[in-house]
Amino acid sequence: MNEHEKILEVIRLKDQAPLTFNPACSALLVIDVQRYFVSPEYPFAQVLERLVAGTTEGYFKRVRDQVLPNINKLLGLFRAHNRPVIFTGTGSYSDNGAELPQWLKDFDQLGQMVVGKRVWPQVDDPSWQIDESVAPRQGELVLHKTSSGPLNSTKLDQLLHNLDVNSLVVTGLTTDVCVTQTARETADRGFHVIVADDCCTTLSEEMHNAALTAFGLAFGRVRKSDDIVRLFSTATSASAG
């Protein structure tokens, strides 16, 4: 085996340990499934396409064909079990993004240079809103964040503890930035975290896989949406027995 294959084998063996995840104390996080991450007509995609044509074609196909349907599967699961669903969105409060961290400002500057628009929308802009395909229901929390991970710019940690949550399933966009950043941060705070492999994606499948490999080695578990459905089914059967 080469070096990478050895690490993959370590992850496989490590993953055989019993899964510490309590569906009865769990919550679903839907990270940044906003219109501007889901549809190509907004500056996020326009900038990348202007730089290198075709950059986002595969990304949007995976979002449409895989990510959104599988997130909806988990939304149905968590809602059926009366478990919390929490959405986040990234953008700015101000019209110039002055309060954003420098790396987000750098993307805004690139957007201004390439397409004449900022990349990250204001919270009251229609493009900031959670996409209709996974629309929050009444009573479900939508948190506005100005950072990649929500623990740095929202009260998510406190909310989860107040809800008696100790186990999380993380989904959304994009895998290598806000999704695994959220998963890492919450794992560091003591939550048992699963990233739903087929409920997230990024600009290339290689980047997606690399982000999940790194997360699975150190921080938590990576599972398909069907595996998560089975976790709930097994827990329900066990409690009934």
Side-chain angles (χ1 to χ4, degrees), residues 93-111:
Y93 291 103
S94 65
D95 60 1
N96 62 2
E99 77 279 20
L100 297 177
Q102 190 59 49
W103 72 275
L104 289 173
K105 289 179 181 177
D106 290 344
F107 271 100
D108 271 348
Q109 184 177 10
L110 179 64

Side-chain angles (χ1 to χ4, degrees), residues 7-17 19 175 180 183-184 187 193-195 208-223:
I7 293 300
L8 293 179
E9 179 64 9
V10 168
I11 295 172
R12 187 189 72 80
L13 293 171
K14 181 175 178 285
D15 204 40
Q16 292 177 4
L19 180 63
T175 309
T180 48
R184 287 173 180 236
V193 184
I194 295 175
V195 176
H208 170 82
N209 292 332
L212 294 183
T213 297
F215 176 80
L217 174 63
F219 295 95
R221 304 296 182 94
V222 178
R223 293 289 187 271

Side-chain angles (χ1 to χ4, degrees), residues 72-84:
N72 271 305
K73 182 193 306 180
L74 293 188
L75 284 170
L77 175 71
F78 276 75
R79 288 165 176 165
H81 286 82
N82 295 313
R83 298 310 307 155

Side-chain angles (χ1 to χ4, degrees), residues 59 62-63 66-67 172-176 199-203 208:
Y59 165 79
R62 290 188 296 275
V63 169
Q66 172 183 299
V67 174
L173 303 169
T174 60
T175 309
D176 53 330
C199 296
C200 57
T201 193
T202 191
L203 293 170
H208 170 82

Side-chain angles (χ1 to χ4, degrees), residues 36-37 42-48 56 59-60 119-120 174 203:
Y36 77 92
F37 273 137
Y42 298 110
F44 171 73
Q46 292 173 348
V47 170
L48 298 172
T56 64
Y59 165 79
F60 284 114
V119 172
W120 315 115
T174 60
L203 293 170

Side-chain angles (χ1 to χ4, degrees), residues 27 49 59 98-100 155 158 178 180 190 209 228 237:
E49 287 294 327
Y59 165 79
E99 77 279 20
L100 297 177
K155 296 294 186 181
Q158 179 182 344
C178 294
T180 48
N209 292 332
I228 297 165
S237 299

